[in-house]
């Protein structure tokens, strides 16, 4: 082992992380570790709380993914109270989740992911941000992104009081219904979101897929990782975000598991390493085999690329057409990590189309919004597809409904080990013989490897507020720092 590079913390993501890259005596990358340096204590301090408080507590895990946490927690309460939600309540919950998908996916693409492609991976970091996007595409685009996010967040507010930390979940239903006079706003917003999603996909094709160098980058070995994949599908094996069965496929796309989310412990397990606060997930049937890719691995990925790989298609017509176009160009399964971006935009379109469908459903404004025929069961698993991947809330309570056990498995946990691998492959491709002439470029190409996942460390662990500097430390074979690259 020779030099050591440290990127701490990494940037343009939600939360705080650190990357350590170890070089051998020749100056080439030998190992890389993606570390989450935050500590989450929600599984512990929620114990002893009345379980009906959980949908209001867990959205505070993260200001980026609060709706998925709110709804997964509410679904767990449905099981604990033995009360299935009414059809209207389920429709309102789906609307809330779809609105969260649209605003979250566009947030990631335009603010975090797109600067690498629209502005360029080698551009000055002073321009490789949302301001650079505005400079390239015009201020009208920025206004449209803001308007779409404002409207979708207002829908969440309409349903659950607060878009940042929603409070609307109740066992067997929702806390308030949708009024008929709100339907037009929801439908107008849905129509706007569909139109904007189509525009975003057109932009991606022109600015990213239309450039040979970017397409080559997407398909390059540096950003290719062969893993298993897990995602939720509906009865027709189409992508489903609120409910469905979990499907796991191998690196060739063959199904190896298909199960109800309540059976998750039979299929996935968690591994603890001393160098990170995030637990590393793996497929239980294969056992922990370390951080490696391929068929002889037990690692799997979740999120937009995984959902693309496990499903037969999309649940809405326009999104299905886009899915078919992606299949025709990249094939299936796709192992390119940067393809997460394309799959994410297609999902935004499906979510917007589903919002349209819900907005036109007469049941949306129904008065029967809560089933109160309770029968305490003592435990419950709530699962859905968060924007970043499969989210599982698993609770147990005593006879008085007091929480006695909590287990949260979030998308970034599923992806944590593959992210470390992706970082290692990118580092191997862009660091050679210890040369760091273009230090900013190096940092960004390595960061692109994990940024595509849209990881959320606030969810995976828990945020300790602080600044987000970026640092690379170069160490010789004795561990001595001989150079340091930093961004504060």
């Amino acid at each position: 082992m020779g030099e050591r590079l440290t990127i701490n913390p990494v940037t343009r993501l939600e939360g705080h992380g650190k990357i350590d890259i170890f070089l051998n005596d020749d100056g080439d990358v030998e190992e890389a570790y993606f570390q989450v340096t935050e500590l989450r204590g929600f599984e512990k301090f929620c114990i002893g709380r009345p379980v009906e408080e959980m949908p209001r507590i867990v959205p505070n895990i993260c200001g980026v993914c609060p709706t998925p946490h709110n709804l997964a927690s509410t679904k767990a309460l449905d099981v604990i109270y033995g009360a299935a939600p009414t059809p209207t309540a389920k429709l309102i919950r789906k609307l809330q989740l779809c609105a969260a998908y649209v605003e979250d996916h566009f947030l990631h693409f335009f603010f975090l992911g797109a600067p690498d492609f629209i502005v360029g991976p080698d551009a000055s970091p002073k321009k490789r941000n949302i301001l650079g996007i505005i400079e390239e595409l015009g201020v009208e685009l920025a206004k449209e992104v803001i308007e779409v996010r404002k409207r979708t967040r207002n829908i969440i507010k309409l349903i659950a009081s607060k878009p940042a930390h929603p409070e609307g979940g109740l066992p067997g239903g929702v806390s308030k219904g949708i009024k008929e006079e709100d339907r037009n706003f929801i439908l107008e917003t849905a129509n706007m979101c569909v139109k904007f999603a189509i525009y975003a996909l057109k932009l991606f094709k022109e600015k990213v897929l239309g450039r040979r160098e970017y397409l080559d980058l997407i398909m390059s070995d540096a950003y290719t990782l062969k893993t298993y994949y897990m995602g939720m599908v509906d009865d027709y094996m189409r992508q489903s975000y609120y409910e469905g069965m979990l499907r796991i496929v191998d690196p060739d796309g063959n199904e190896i598991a298909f199960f109800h989310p309540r059976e998750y412990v039979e299929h996935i397990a968690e591994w603890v390493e001393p160098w990170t606060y995030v637990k590393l997930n793996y497929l239980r049937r294969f056992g922990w085999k370390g951080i490696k890719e391929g068929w002889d691995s037990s690692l799997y990925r979740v999120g937009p690329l995984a959902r693309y790989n496990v499903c037969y298609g999309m649940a809405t017509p326009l999104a299905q057409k886009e899915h078919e176009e992606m299949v025709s160009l990249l094939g299936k399964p796709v192992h390119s990590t940067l393809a997460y971006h394309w799959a994410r935009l297609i999902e935004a379109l499906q979510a917007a189309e589903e919002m349209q469908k819900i907005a036109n459903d007469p049941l949306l404004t129904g008065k029967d919004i809560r089933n109160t025929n309770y029968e305490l069961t003592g435990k419950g698993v709530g699962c859905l597809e968060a924007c970043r991947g499969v989210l599982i809330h698993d609770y147990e309570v005593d006879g008085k409904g007091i929480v006695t056990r909590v287990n949260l498995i979030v998308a970034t946990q599923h992806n944590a080990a593959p992210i470390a691998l992706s970082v290692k492959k990118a580092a191997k491709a862009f660091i050679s013989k210890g040369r760091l002439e273009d230090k900013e470029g190096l940092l960004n190409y390595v960061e692109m490897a994990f940024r595509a996942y849209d990881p959320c460390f606030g969810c995976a662990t828990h945020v300790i507020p602080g600044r987000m500097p970026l640092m690379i430390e170069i160490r010789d074979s004795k561990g001595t720092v001989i150079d340091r690259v930093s961004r504060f």
Side-chain angles (χ1 to χ4, degrees):
M1 187 72 72
E3 298 169 347
R4 173 180 175 177
L5 313 180
T6 300
I7 304 177
N8 179 24
V10 288
T11 61
R12 271 196 278 146
L13 79 166
E14 292 84 18
H16 299 231
K18 172 188 173 188
I19 296 172
D20 272 331
I21 302 171
F22 293 87
L23 307 183
N24 59 25
D25 291 336
D26 294 328
D28 296 326
V29 174
E30 183 168 297
E31 195 54 82
Y33 292 97
F34 178 70
Q35 299 172 274
V36 176
T37 56
E38 308 164 354
L39 174 64
R40 181 184 68 196
F42 275 76
E43 284 97 337
K44 289 298 181 185
F45 66 68
C46 285
I47 291 175
R49 306 294 301 184
V51 72
E52 64 266 25
E53 292 183 355
M54 291 298 285
R56 298 191 294 279
I57 294 174
V58 293
N60 295 286
I61 290 174
C62 176
V64 179
C65 321
T67 279
H69 281 294
N70 173 249
L71 292 175
S73 180
T74 303
K75 290 183 71 176
L77 260 64
D78 291 341
V79 182
I80 289 172
Y81 280 81
T86 66
T88 292
K90 186 183 289 189
L91 209 57
I92 292 172
R93 291 181 186 179
K94 287 182 176 180
L95 175 63
Q96 182 184 347
L97 185 59
C98 287
Y101 257 72
V102 171
E103 69 109 356
D104 189 277
H105 276 358
F106 287 144
L107 171 69
H108 178 268
F109 181 71
F110 286 102
F111 285 76
L112 307 181
D116 292 327
F117 296 101
I118 305 298
V119 183
D122 297 312
S124 166
K126 294 179 180 177
K127 289 190 173 183
R128 203 174 53 234
N129 49 47
I130 183 60
L131 297 180
I133 291 289
I134 295 172
E135 185 176 324
E136 288 287 329
L137 302 177
V139 70
E140 291 305 314
L141 170 85
K143 290 179 179 177
E144 216 166 343
V145 173
I146 291 171
E147 182 64 18
V148 165
R149 295 198 67 237
K150 176 184 174 183
R151 279 177 163 264
T152 48
R153 289 174 71 82
N154 279 339
I155 288 176
I156 297 171
K157 182 179 180 181
L158 186 68
I159 296 169
S161 299
K162 295 186 294 186
H165 300 294
E167 300 174 330
L170 294 172
V174 293
S175 58
K176 62 179 180 179
I178 300 290
K179 298 176 182 176
E180 194 58 43
E181 55 262 37
D182 294 323
R183 188 187 295 275
N184 280 343
F185 171 76
I186 296 169
L187 184 56
E188 286 175 2
T189 301
N191 292 339
M192 173 185 289
C193 292
V194 169
K195 183 180 177 182
F196 190 73
I198 293 171
Y199 164 77
L201 280 160
K202 182 172 179 287
L203 181 70
F204 185 84
K205 293 170 191 173
E206 289 177 356
K207 299 290 185 179
V208 181
L209 302 179
R211 296 182 61 171
R212 187 70 243 178
E213 66 270 29
Y214 286 170
L215 193 56
D216 289 344
L217 195 66
I218 291 172
M219 301 304 291
S220 68
D221 187 59
Y223 295 111
T224 296
L225 193 68
K226 293 182 178 178
T227 64
Y228 293 80
Y229 297 93
M230 181 172 77
M232 184 174 282
V233 293
D234 66 12
D235 293 341
Y236 303 95
M237 296 292 181
R238 303 173 304 189
Q239 286 198 15
S240 180
Y241 306 139
Y242 178 76
E243 61 186 346
M245 301 287 279
L246 292 177
R247 185 170 190 250
I248 301 176
V249 299
D250 67 16
D252 283 330
N254 301 311
E255 180 181 299
I256 66 163
F258 185 73
F259 57 95
H260 192 282
R262 63 175 172 265
E263 301 164 353
Y264 79 93
V265 293
E266 299 174 18
H267 299 275
I268 61 177
E270 299 172 279
W271 182 264
V272 176
E273 289 284 351
W275 43 267
T276 180
Y277 279 119
V278 68
K279 293 179 180 177
L280 309 178
N281 284 31
Y282 63 97
L283 298 175
R284 185 180 295 278
R285 64 191 298 176
F286 300 128
W288 174 252
K289 294 189 174 185
I291 302 177
K292 60 181 181 180
E293 66 172 313
W295 285 259
D296 188 30
S297 167
S298 57
L299 304 184
Y300 62 95
R301 292 195 274 183
V302 300
L305 185 65
R307 291 189 282 256
Y308 168 87
N309 283 330
V310 305
C311 77
Y312 287 1
M314 307 300 288
T316 57
L318 295 177
Q320 173 61 22
K321 185 179 177 183
E322 296 291 338
H323 178 88
E324 290 170 2
E325 187 173 344
M326 184 170 171
V327 172
S328 69
L329 183 63
L330 301 184
K332 199 174 183 180
V334 174
H335 300 295
S336 171
T337 300
L338 296 182
Y340 264 91
H341 295 296
W342 193 359
R344 185 172 288 114
L345 290 179
I346 296 174
E347 291 186 352
L349 179 55
Q350 171 165 317
E353 288 185 278
E354 289 188 346
M355 286 173 61
Q356 278 182 324
K357 183 179 177 182
I358 293 170
N360 285 307
D361 193 323
L363 270 179
L364 180 63
T365 54
K367 303 301 180 187
D368 185 15
I369 61 171
R370 192 176 183 194
N371 172 13
T372 56
N373 296 316
Y374 296 153
E375 184 175 350
L376 203 63
T377 65
K379 57 184 178 180
V381 174
C383 178
L384 49 72
E385 281 281 3
C387 307
R388 292 158 184 78
V390 175
L391 172 63
I392 298 170
H393 281 226
D394 183 2
Y395 308 152
E396 289 183 7
V397 302
D398 63 17
K400 297 180 179 179
I402 302 299
V403 176
T404 57
R405 187 184 71 85
V406 176
N407 192 30
L408 310 176
I409 301 181
V410 306
T412 300
Q413 287 177 245
H414 300 292
N415 284 335
I419 289 174
L421 271 175
S422 294
V423 166
K424 180 179 178 179
K425 294 196 74 170
K428 277 180 171 288
F430 298 108
I431 300 174
S432 177
K433 307 303 179 187
R435 290 194 297 270
L436 290 170
E437 290 88 354
D438 180 10
K439 296 175 181 178
E440 285 293 345
L442 162 69
L443 298 180
N444 193 54
Y445 277 103
V446 174
E447 286 186 327
M448 285 172 65
F450 69 77
R451 194 175 292 128
Y453 290 88
D454 191 15
C456 185
F457 303 148
C459 288
T461 55
H462 184 56
V463 175
I464 297 174
R467 300 177 63 189
M468 296 180 66
L470 177 66
M471 178 181 291
I472 291 180
E473 288 185 348
I474 307 172
R475 298 175 183 267
D476 61 19
S477 59
K478 296 179 180 178
T480 304
V481 176
I482 59 174
D483 195 5
R484 180 175 285 125
V485 186
S486 62
R487 179 192 303 156
F488 291 94

PDB file of all heavy atoms in Angstrom, residues 1-22:
ATOM      1  N   MET A   1       0.838  -1.194   0.000  1.00  0.00           N
ATOM      2  CA  MET A   1       0.000   0.000   0.000  1.00  0.00           C
ATOM      3  C   MET A   1       0.878   1.251   0.000  1.00  0.00           C
ATOM      4  O   MET A   1       1.803   1.366   0.780  1.00  0.00           O
ATOM      5  CB  MET A   1      -0.901  -0.018   1.232  1.00  0.00           C
ATOM      6  CG  MET A   1      -1.936   1.088   1.264  1.00  0.00           C
ATOM      7  SD  MET A   1      -3.255   0.824   0.053  1.00  0.00           S
ATOM      8  CE  MET A   1      -4.131  -0.534   0.820  1.00  0.00           C
ATOM      9  N   GLY A   2       0.597   2.187  -0.901  1.00  0.00           N
ATOM     10  CA  GLY A   2       1.407   3.382  -1.005  1.00  0.00           C
ATOM     11  C   GLY A   2       0.682   4.591  -0.516  1.00  0.00           C
ATOM     12  O   GLY A   2       0.421   4.754   0.671  1.00  0.00           O
ATOM     13  N   GLU A   3       0.271   5.490  -1.464  1.00  0.00           N
ATOM     14  CA  GLU A   3      -0.340   6.750  -1.092  1.00  0.00           C
ATOM     15  C   GLU A   3      -1.820   6.579  -0.773  1.00  0.00           C
ATOM     16  O   GLU A   3      -2.459   5.613  -1.159  1.00  0.00           O
ATOM     17  CB  GLU A   3      -0.168   7.746  -2.232  1.00  0.00           C
ATOM     18  CG  GLU A   3       1.303   8.040  -2.538  1.00  0.00           C
ATOM     19  CD  GLU A   3       1.468   8.814  -3.826  1.00  0.00           C
ATOM     20  OE1 GLU A   3       0.483   8.904  -4.581  1.00  0.00           O
ATOM     21  OE2 GLU A   3       2.564   9.307  -4.070  1.00  0.00           O
ATOM     22  N   ARG A   4      -2.348   7.582  -0.104  1.00  0.00           N
ATOM     23  CA  ARG A   4      -3.762   7.562   0.262  1.00  0.00           C
ATOM     24  C   ARG A   4      -4.379   8.904  -0.106  1.00  0.00           C
ATOM     25  O   ARG A   4      -3.847   9.957   0.234  1.00  0.00           O
ATOM     26  CB  ARG A   4      -3.907   7.337   1.763  1.00  0.00           C
ATOM     27  CG  ARG A   4      -5.328   7.476   2.285  1.00  0.00           C
ATOM     28  CD  ARG A   4      -5.348   7.225   3.769  1.00  0.00           C
ATOM     29  NE  ARG A   4      -6.650   7.444   4.346  1.00  0.00           N
ATOM     30  CZ  ARG A   4      -6.927   7.227   5.629  1.00  0.00           C
ATOM     31  NH1 ARG A   4      -6.004   6.760   6.429  1.00  0.00           N
ATOM     32  NH2 ARG A   4      -8.147   7.458   6.103  1.00  0.00           N
ATOM     33  N   LEU A   5      -5.515   8.869  -0.843  1.00  0.00           N
ATOM     34  CA  LEU A   5      -6.245  10.073  -1.211  1.00  0.00           C
ATOM     35  C   LEU A   5      -7.535  10.108  -0.419  1.00  0.00           C
ATOM     36  O   LEU A   5      -8.224   9.112  -0.309  1.00  0.00           O
ATOM     37  CB  LEU A   5      -6.585  10.076  -2.704  1.00  0.00           C
ATOM     38  CG  LEU A   5      -5.488   9.726  -3.706  1.00  0.00           C
ATOM     39  CD1 LEU A   5      -6.042   9.793  -5.111  1.00  0.00           C
ATOM     40  CD2 LEU A   5      -4.309  10.657  -3.556  1.00  0.00           C
ATOM     41  N   THR A   6      -7.873  11.274   0.097  1.00  0.00           N
ATOM     42  CA  THR A   6      -9.112  11.407   0.847  1.00  0.00           C
ATOM     43  C   THR A   6      -9.950  12.544   0.280  1.00  0.00           C
ATOM     44  O   THR A   6      -9.453  13.657   0.147  1.00  0.00           O
ATOM     45  CB  THR A   6      -8.826  11.700   2.335  1.00  0.00           C
ATOM     46  OG1 THR A   6      -8.065  10.622   2.867  1.00  0.00           O
ATOM     47  CG2 THR A   6     -10.130  11.828   3.116  1.00  0.00           C
ATOM     48  N   ILE A   7     -11.204  12.234  -0.094  1.00  0.00           N
ATOM     49  CA  ILE A   7     -12.166  13.256  -0.503  1.00  0.00           C
ATOM     50  C   ILE A   7     -13.144  13.411   0.638  1.00  0.00           C
ATOM     51  O   ILE A   7     -13.922  12.513   0.920  1.00  0.00           O
ATOM     52  CB  ILE A   7     -12.907  12.853  -1.793  1.00  0.00           C
ATOM     53  CG1 ILE A   7     -11.911  12.563  -2.913  1.00  0.00           C
ATOM     54  CG2 ILE A   7     -13.880  13.951  -2.209  1.00  0.00           C
ATOM     55  CD1 ILE A   7     -12.565  12.084  -4.193  1.00  0.00           C
ATOM     56  N   ASN A   8     -13.107  14.530   1.322  1.00  0.00           N
ATOM     57  CA  ASN A   8     -13.859  14.656   2.573  1.00  0.00           C
ATOM     58  C   ASN A   8     -14.284  16.090   2.819  1.00  0.00           C
ATOM     59  O   ASN A   8     -13.439  16.964   2.998  1.00  0.00           O
ATOM     60  CB  ASN A   8     -12.983  14.175   3.732  1.00  0.00           C
ATOM     61  CG  ASN A   8     -13.684  14.285   5.055  1.00  0.00           C
ATOM     62  OD1 ASN A   8     -14.920  14.290   5.106  1.00  0.00           O
ATOM     63  ND2 ASN A   8     -12.919  14.398   6.119  1.00  0.00           N
ATOM     64  N   PRO A   9     -15.587  16.316   2.890  1.00  0.00           N
ATOM     65  CA  PRO A   9     -16.702  15.503   2.427  1.00  0.00           C
ATOM     66  C   PRO A   9     -16.865  15.657   0.915  1.00  0.00           C
ATOM     67  O   PRO A   9     -16.345  16.587   0.325  1.00  0.00           O
ATOM     68  CB  PRO A   9     -17.920  16.085   3.150  1.00  0.00           C
ATOM     69  CG  PRO A   9     -17.377  16.936   4.245  1.00  0.00           C
ATOM     70  CD  PRO A   9     -16.052  17.428   3.717  1.00  0.00           C
ATOM     71  N   VAL A  10     -17.618  14.727   0.336  1.00  0.00           N
ATOM     72  CA  VAL A  10     -17.951  14.789  -1.072  1.00  0.00           C
ATOM     73  C   VAL A  10     -19.068  15.810  -1.263  1.00  0.00           C
ATOM     74  O   VAL A  10     -19.745  16.196  -0.309  1.00  0.00           O
ATOM     75  CB  VAL A  10     -18.375  13.407  -1.568  1.00  0.00           C
ATOM     76  CG1 VAL A  10     -17.160  12.509  -1.639  1.00  0.00           C
ATOM     77  CG2 VAL A  10     -19.429  12.803  -0.689  1.00  0.00           C
ATOM     78  N   THR A  11     -19.289  16.248  -2.507  1.00  0.00           N
ATOM     79  CA  THR A  11     -20.198  17.378  -2.726  1.00  0.00           C
ATOM     80  C   THR A  11     -21.329  17.052  -3.683  1.00  0.00           C
ATOM     81  O   THR A  11     -21.314  16.055  -4.376  1.00  0.00           O
ATOM     82  CB  THR A  11     -19.427  18.580  -3.283  1.00  0.00           C
ATOM     83  OG1 THR A  11     -18.854  18.214  -4.534  1.00  0.00           O
ATOM     84  CG2 THR A  11     -18.338  19.032  -2.340  1.00  0.00           C
ATOM     85  N   ARG A  12     -22.266  17.985  -3.766  1.00  0.00           N
ATOM     86  CA  ARG A  12     -23.488  17.905  -4.566  1.00  0.00           C
ATOM     87  C   ARG A  12     -24.239  16.601  -4.312  1.00  0.00           C
ATOM     88  O   ARG A  12     -24.527  15.827  -5.202  1.00  0.00           O
ATOM     89  CB  ARG A  12     -23.173  18.092  -6.052  1.00  0.00           C
ATOM     90  CG  ARG A  12     -23.220  19.563  -6.468  1.00  0.00           C
ATOM     91  CD  ARG A  12     -23.302  19.727  -7.969  1.00  0.00           C
ATOM     92  NE  ARG A  12     -22.008  19.618  -8.562  1.00  0.00           N
ATOM     93  CZ  ARG A  12     -21.769  19.091  -9.747  1.00  0.00           C
ATOM     94  NH1 ARG A  12     -22.774  18.608 -10.450  1.00  0.00           N
ATOM     95  NH2 ARG A  12     -20.579  19.037 -10.241  1.00  0.00           N
ATOM     96  N   LEU A  13     -24.517  16.339  -3.049  1.00  0.00           N
ATOM     97  CA  LEU A  13     -25.356  15.230  -2.637  1.00  0.00           C
ATOM     98  C   LEU A  13     -26.004  15.643  -1.332  1.00  0.00           C
ATOM     99  O   LEU A  13     -25.692  16.698  -0.782  1.00  0.00           O
ATOM    100  CB  LEU A  13     -24.548  13.945  -2.440  1.00  0.00           C
ATOM    101  CG  LEU A  13     -23.752  13.819  -1.137  1.00  0.00           C
ATOM    102  CD1 LEU A  13     -23.301  12.392  -0.964  1.00  0.00           C
ATOM    103  CD2 LEU A  13     -22.585  14.766  -1.128  1.00  0.00           C
ATOM    104  N   GLU A  14     -26.931  14.793  -0.850  1.00  0.00           N
ATOM    105  CA  GLU A  14     -27.615  15.108   0.388  1.00  0.00           C
ATOM    106  C   GLU A  14     -26.903  14.406   1.534  1.00  0.00           C
ATOM    107  O   GLU A  14     -26.947  13.192   1.638  1.00  0.00           O
ATOM    108  CB  GLU A  14     -29.083  14.665   0.322  1.00  0.00           C
ATOM    109  CG  GLU A  14     -29.921  15.455  -0.640  1.00  0.00           C
ATOM    110  CD  GLU A  14     -29.807  14.946  -2.057  1.00  0.00           C
ATOM    111  OE1 GLU A  14     -29.360  13.805  -2.224  1.00  0.00           O
ATOM    112  OE2 GLU A  14     -30.150  15.682  -2.986  1.00  0.00           O
ATOM    113  N   GLY A  15     -26.242  15.181   2.380  1.00  0.00           N
ATOM    114  CA  GLY A  15     -25.567  14.611   3.527  1.00  0.00           C
ATOM    115  C   GLY A  15     -24.067  14.801   3.453  1.00  0.00           C
ATOM    116  O   GLY A  15     -23.557  15.571   2.649  1.00  0.00           O
ATOM    117  N   HIS A  16     -23.360  14.072   4.319  1.00  0.00           N
ATOM    118  CA  HIS A  16     -21.922  14.245   4.425  1.00  0.00           C
ATOM    119  C   HIS A  16     -21.243  12.890   4.245  1.00  0.00           C
ATOM    120  O   HIS A  16     -21.621  11.904   4.870  1.00  0.00           O
ATOM    121  CB  HIS A  16     -21.552  14.800   5.801  1.00  0.00           C
ATOM    122  CG  HIS A  16     -22.153  16.148   6.065  1.00  0.00           C
ATOM    123  ND1 HIS A  16     -21.418  17.216   6.500  1.00  0.00           N
ATOM    124  CD2 HIS A  16     -23.425  16.601   5.949  1.00  0.00           C
ATOM    125  CE1 HIS A  16     -22.214  18.273   6.639  1.00  0.00           C
ATOM    126  NE2 HIS A  16     -23.430  17.907   6.321  1.00  0.00           N
ATOM    127  N   GLY A  17     -20.235  12.849   3.419  1.00  0.00           N
ATOM    128  CA  GLY A  17     -19.505  11.615   3.199  1.00  0.00           C
ATOM    129  C   GLY A  17     -18.034  11.896   2.958  1.00  0.00           C
ATOM    130  O   GLY A  17     -17.600  13.045   2.865  1.00  0.00           O
ATOM    131  N   LYS A  18     -17.273  10.837   2.845  1.00  0.00           N
ATOM    132  CA  LYS A  18     -15.831  10.950   2.676  1.00  0.00           C
ATOM    133  C   LYS A  18     -15.354   9.786   1.816  1.00  0.00           C
ATOM    134  O   LYS A  18     -15.888   8.679   1.906  1.00  0.00           O
ATOM    135  CB  LYS A  18     -15.175  10.895   4.060  1.00  0.00           C
ATOM    136  CG  LYS A  18     -13.662  10.802   4.063  1.00  0.00           C
ATOM    137  CD  LYS A  18     -13.197  10.569   5.490  1.00  0.00           C
ATOM    138  CE  LYS A  18     -11.711  10.288   5.557  1.00  0.00           C
ATOM    139  NZ  LYS A  18     -11.290   9.867   6.901  1.00  0.00           N
ATOM    140  N   ILE A  19     -14.377  10.044   0.982  1.00  0.00           N
ATOM    141  CA  ILE A  19     -13.812   8.991   0.148  1.00  0.00           C
ATOM    142  C   ILE A  19     -12.327   8.880   0.449  1.00  0.00           C
ATOM    143  O   ILE A  19     -11.600   9.874   0.391  1.00  0.00           O
ATOM    144  CB  ILE A  19     -14.024   9.291  -1.347  1.00  0.00           C
ATOM    145  CG1 ILE A  19     -15.528   9.293  -1.688  1.00  0.00           C
ATOM    146  CG2 ILE A  19     -13.291   8.270  -2.208  1.00  0.00           C
ATOM    147  CD1 ILE A  19     -15.817   9.780  -3.089  1.00  0.00           C
ATOM    148  N   ASP A  20     -11.863   7.684   0.757  1.00  0.00           N
ATOM    149  CA  ASP A  20     -10.437   7.408   0.904  1.00  0.00           C
ATOM    150  C   ASP A  20      -9.993   6.544  -0.253  1.00  0.00           C
ATOM    151  O   ASP A  20     -10.587   5.482  -0.524  1.00  0.00           O
ATOM    152  CB  ASP A  20     -10.165   6.657   2.219  1.00  0.00           C
ATOM    153  CG  ASP A  20      -9.944   7.610   3.375  1.00  0.00           C
ATOM    154  OD1 ASP A  20      -9.467   8.729   3.124  1.00  0.00           O
ATOM    155  OD2 ASP A  20     -10.260   7.227   4.512  1.00  0.00           O
ATOM    156  N   ILE A  21      -8.960   6.973  -0.963  1.00  0.00           N
ATOM    157  CA  ILE A  21      -8.418   6.216  -2.084  1.00  0.00           C
ATOM    158  C   ILE A  21      -6.975   5.864  -1.758  1.00  0.00           C
ATOM    159  O   ILE A  21      -6.157   6.748  -1.482  1.00  0.00           O
ATOM    160  CB  ILE A  21      -8.480   7.034  -3.393  1.00  0.00           C
ATOM    161  CG1 ILE A  21      -9.931   7.446  -3.686  1.00  0.00           C
ATOM    162  CG2 ILE A  21      -7.906   6.237  -4.553  1.00  0.00           C
ATOM    163  CD1 ILE A  21     -10.060   8.433  -4.829  1.00  0.00           C
ATOM    164  N   PHE A  22      -6.658   4.596  -1.784  1.00  0.00           N
ATOM    165  CA  PHE A  22      -5.310   4.135  -1.461  1.00  0.00           C
ATOM    166  C   PHE A  22      -4.583   3.752  -2.751  1.00  0.00           C
ATOM    167  O   PHE A  22      -5.102   2.979  -3.558  1.00  0.00           O
ATOM    168  CB  PHE A  22      -5.363   2.920  -0.524  1.00  0.00           C
ATOM    169  CG  PHE A  22      -5.895   3.259   0.835  1.00  0.00           C
ATOM    170  CD1 PHE A  22      -7.269   3.236   1.082  1.00  0.00           C
ATOM    171  CD2 PHE A  22      -5.039   3.614   1.862  1.00  0.00           C
ATOM    172  CE1 PHE A  22      -7.765   3.556   2.332  1.00  0.00           C
ATOM    173  CE2 PHE A  22      -5.535   3.933   3.120  1.00  0.00           C
ATOM    174  CZ  PHE A  22      -6.905   3.908   3.351  1.00  0.00           C
TER     175      PHE A  22
END
